[in-house]
Amino acid sequence: MLFNSYEFIFLFLPFTFFIYFYLLQKRLTVGARGFLVFASLFFYSWWNIVYLPLILSSMLFNYVIGNSLNENFKKAKVGKRSLLMFGVVSNIALLGYFKYSDFFIENINLALHSSLSLLHLALPLAISFFTFQQIAYLVDSYRGETKEYDFLNYALFVTFFPQLIAGPIVHHAEMMPQFANKWNLAKNYKNIATGLFIFSIGLFKKVVIADSFAEIADKGFDVLHVLSFTEAWATSLSYTFQLYFDFSGYTDMAIGAALLFNIVLPINFNSPYKALSIQDFWRRWHITLSRFLKDYIYIPLGGNRKGDFRTYVNLMATFTLGGIWHGAGWTFVFWGLLHGIALVVNHIWRSIGFRLPTVLAWFLTFNFINVAWIFFRAKEWDDALKVLSGMTAVETIKIASDMDMHPDWFIMVFVVILTLKTTVEYSKKAIYTPKTAFASGIFFVSAMLLTNHISKFLYFDF
Amino acid sequence: MSKMKKWVSLWFITISSLLVIGVFNYVIDPYQQYRKATFYKVPYENEKELDAGLAKNFDYDSVVIGTSMMQNFNIDDLKNISGYKKPIKLTIAGSSVYEQNIVLSTAFRHQNVKNVLIGIDFLSYYGAVHRYKHGASSFPTYLYDENILNDYKYLISSDTLGRVFEIFTKKEKDGWVYDYSKMFEWRSRTQDKNVLSAVKRKWLDRKNFDNEATDEEKKLPYMKNNFDHNIKPLIEKHPNVNFTLLFPPYSILAYKTYEERGQLQNLIKFKRYIVSTLLTYQNVKIYDFQNADEISHDLHNYYDLYHYNKDISRIILKEIRKKDYIVDDVSTYAKISQKFLSNVANFNVTDDLFKEK
């Protein structure tokens, strides 16, 4: 059940909404919360019910460990530090087993010329997200920063369906008080209006913009064997746009859906392609992930408190981990490394006091991000090199292409990413007039009409 | 009513236009899903979507199935030469055999089919048995099933709406085919062009020939599997239907390309597998036109390395009636296959081939 599917929008979401508020109206607060957890688990199981026990046991395990860790209500007899280590390692082991086993075996085979068979484990949905959220919870419990939450609220924090599958990566400190807040227990039309507005824009971003660019990107990366200069640039830029509009659109839908239930999710994107440096980019792109990496990896490693050299090492380590978190493959590691290096360079520049004119800074930053995404997207190294070599083959600029490249799309999207504000920013303004109701309705309608678009492959070889 | 409540109501009123669009698409029904059109001419275009409606709601007793190699048989020729009473074409260019299976199964469910003419193209048989040519999102399976619940994908869709718009705005000169007897005949658009130079260009660019599957997916077990899953069961389930299978004549340049890649032996094995599997079936006849050197060695008959022109389509139908190229014996067929291999091996591609007559 993706957010842009009919079953989510026309069945799951309205049913969940009405039953939840009906129960609240009847003063069945606990029942309503229980129902919301149940609905979220149903949503999770819709993909594959096999992993339901996994998320349940992960939740229970972390809740118990977290409670035992917290000084304020400590009953545990073991050393705190070892208990924390045990908790964190268990979480990472679970994630590692499902996500990285085959990658590990492949590399062993490569290094030792052995032929161990792969496990071919299907990746449990959302495991990367709920693992991270709960590790943060454990660490904070160890630091005594958590309160004694009741299990139902904790379960809601982990499973709440809008943020379960693809983030934002929420922090217990921003969620728990909201779940406990009595003011959130009645329908709120301001939130509903805001939620519908944000959801509509997000849906449009994903289905209309991202999926259209995906057709170009897929063709360039996965189908064509050789790319001319223009094809290669169209391919890489298409993916750069596809990824942003897909992910930020999906996040918008999550934020919008959560608002229907009076829950405010954190912002995840802040016009990232306006960034004027790589550091700036990481303050704007997948903000909740950067926040996690900073608070739970970079700072514990020592952050920038141990001299320049250690700062650089820490940056590289954090971003390499960030790379592998995105996917089990060397191309992801390489992508993380590239960003790590870029951040180090950025640091050194700034410490020298080197400044670039704004336009040039944007141009350099954007192009670096665009090139780095190639490695993020490519299924094989060869595909990445194919795109890169096309982008540098200026002599092929005149070659006619049978690829439908829609130059007008690119111009429009550049205007959009450089001039417009974020969906959430717009939603906070006094925009709730009949005109915007109609306009965002149209955004929603056009996305729904395009959801079942049958991609056309216009070639005629058979 | 508060301002926000009003906003929400207005938003819902706006999105209810989806329903209006759905009803509108249902009334026009551009892909003939619910009824045969009465108040506009059906253009025979977008076969992937249209075939579903044709299979369900048109009146026919004989079906042509296959890829673009099968699209240039004229409906009148199928009546006059092949003796089919009510023929229809449910071909899809470039289709995988799984897609062909979906189409043909739908036809069997809805009409009393007596004859089926199937063209067997190698590239339909590559890869997994449930392979869609361009991935699942490229094929409208929901049009072919009997499930009403997923029809919203057809009714509430910009593709459908766009099609309606095209139906009512296209002019005859835009090149759409409205003539039932010429349905899906793309060679009527390309036939008159002098295309020998195009054939030559394709030959020089043959590294891009038949490149949509990996070498792994082209292996013999995949091809056999595809045949076993997607064609054989349909033949077995319908013993009263006459199946005519044919291997269409590609140009000699296609065989040379297969040979260069070391694929030709495999393809011959695949053909022999089909022949040895089906020869005992009472309701099947097999014709192999790939041995027709008089067709395949003359490049004037071709549009590229595979596609012959419409005259050849007509010749094929006549030859089927004459039974010249029928395959009726396994051991004879083995000899013919050997001869074919050596013919290809001994053939030299020279510049003379590309000279205009």
Side-chain angles (χ1 to χ4, degrees), chain A residues 263-280:
Chain A
I263 300 296
V264 180
L265 293 181
I267 294 173
N268 221 6
F269 290 92
N270 180 12
S271 307
Y273 293 157
K274 289 180 190 167
L276 299 179
S277 72
I278 294 297
Q279 190 186 29
D280 189 19

Side-chain angles (χ1 to χ4, degrees), chain A residues 204-214 216 233-234 236-246 248 271-274 285 362 366 370 405-421:
Chain A
F204 185 87
K205 276 181 176 176
K206 159 134 186 57
V207 176
V208 180
I209 305 179
D211 292 354
S212 301
F213 278 112
I216 302 177
W233 277 95
S236 71
L237 287 173
S238 287
Y239 183 66
T240 292
F241 295 151
Q242 178 202 339
L243 186 65
Y244 168 66
F245 282 104
D246 193 288
S248 85
S271 307
Y273 293 157
K274 289 180 190 167
W285 177 274
W362 173 83
F366 182 81
N370 185 46
M405 286 189 258
H406 304 278
D408 47 331
W409 289 4
F410 289 94
I411 294 163
M412 273 191 298
V413 166
F414 266 118
V415 171
V416 166
I417 58 174
L418 293 175
T419 61
L420 295 186
K421 295 185 182 61

Side-chain angles (χ1 to χ4, degrees), chain B residues 67-120:
Chain B
T67 65
S68 54
M69 304 299 295
M70 302 295 286
Q71 288 182 313
N72 293 306
F73 293 121
N74 184 283
I75 294 280
D76 294 337
D77 288 346
L78 288 164
K79 286 181 189 168
N80 302 335
I81 303 172
S82 312
Y84 295 156
K85 271 205 189 63
K86 291 181 283 184
I88 196 166
K89 270 185 271 176
L90 300 176
T91 46
I92 298 177
S95 48
S96 71
V97 69
Y98 177 59
E99 291 167 344
Q100 292 164 21
N101 171 300
I102 291 174
V103 177
L104 190 51
S105 305
T106 309
F108 281 136
R109 276 199 310 272
H110 285 268
Q111 298 291 328
N112 181 9
V113 178
K114 297 195 176 71
N115 307 295
V116 180
L117 177 63
I118 305 183
I120 296 191

Side-chain angles (χ1 to χ4, degrees), chain B residues 14-27:
Chain B
T14 310
I15 71 152
S16 65
S17 61
L18 286 170
L19 274 179
V20 178
I21 290 167
V23 171
F24 177 73
N25 282 339
Y26 176 84
V27 171

Side-chain angles (χ1 to χ4, degrees), chain A residues 66-320:
Chain A
N67 273 354
S68 326
L69 275 173
N70 195 315
E71 282 291 336
N72 308 328
F73 36 92
K74 182 176 169 216
K75 305 171 193 67
K77 297 275 189 293
V78 278
K80 267 182 58 167
R81 220 185 150 74
S82 36
L83 187 60
L84 175 69
M85 289 312 286
F86 170 68
V88 172
V89 167
S90 306
N91 278 297
I92 290 174
L94 185 76
L95 180 62
Y97 172 72
F98 280 106
K99 195 163 176 167
Y100 302 105
S101 299
D102 278 0
F103 178 57
F104 188 71
I105 295 170
E106 274 170 9
N107 285 305
I108 296 263
N109 285 343
L110 210 62
L112 307 178
H113 302 293
S114 53
S115 51
L116 304 167
S117 53
L118 301 179
L119 305 175
H120 293 297
L121 298 166
L123 188 65
L125 194 68
I127 189 168
S128 310
F129 288 92
F130 69 69
T131 304
F132 265 30
Q133 285 183 192
Q134 297 193 101
I135 288 176
Y137 170 75
L138 292 185
V139 174
D140 288 0
S141 299
Y142 171 80
R143 296 173 180 164
E145 292 166 6
T146 54
K147 299 190 182 61
E148 185 158 18
Y149 305 121
D150 75 62
F151 181 66
L152 203 54
N153 280 353
Y154 181 80
L156 201 49
F157 151 68
V158 178
T159 63
F160 187 45
F161 72 87
Q163 49 86 41
L164 173 64
I165 308 299
I169 299 173
V170 293
H171 196 268
H172 61 92
E174 68 202 348
M175 300 304 284
M176 295 301 191
Q178 293 195 71
F179 293 137
N181 187 338
K182 288 189 182 50
W183 293 104
N184 292 340
L185 299 182
K187 266 198 213 104
N188 174 331
Y189 278 96
K190 182 173 186 299
N191 284 344
I192 294 172
T194 314
L196 292 176
F197 173 81
I198 296 175
F199 191 93
S200 304
I201 306 291
L203 187 68
F204 185 87
K205 276 181 176 176
K206 159 134 186 57
V207 176
V208 180
I209 305 179
D211 292 354
S212 301
F213 278 112
E215 284 190 28
I216 302 177
D218 290 352
K219 190 161 185 185
F221 272 102
D222 302 333
V223 180
L224 298 175
H225 294 266
V226 182
L227 297 175
S228 72
F229 181 80
T230 28
E231 284 172 342
W233 277 95
T235 298
S236 71
L237 287 173
S238 287
Y239 183 66
T240 292
F241 295 151
Q242 178 202 339
L243 186 65
Y244 168 66
F245 282 104
D246 193 288
F247 200 1
S248 85
Y250 215 75
T251 305
D252 284 347
M253 286 190 265
I255 292 171
L259 265 178
L260 301 178
F261 298 87
N262 304 322
I263 300 296
V264 180
L265 293 181
I267 294 173
N268 221 6
F269 290 92
N270 180 12
S271 307
Y273 293 157
K274 289 180 190 167
L276 299 179
S277 72
I278 294 297
Q279 190 186 29
D280 189 19
F281 173 73
W282 281 104
R283 287 178 181 157
R284 296 164 170 270
W285 177 274
H286 205 175
I287 296 166
T288 55
L289 175 70
S290 317
R291 178 179 73 174
F292 179 93
L293 293 174
K294 182 170 144 240
D295 290 348
Y296 297 95
I297 295 176
Y298 179 67
I299 290 176
L301 283 173
N304 56 4
R305 301 184 306 279
K306 299 191 175 172
D308 279 349
F309 182 70
R310 263 305 290 273
T311 306
Y312 303 153
V313 172
N314 292 343
L315 275 175
M316 297 291 289
T318 306
F319 271 84
T320 309

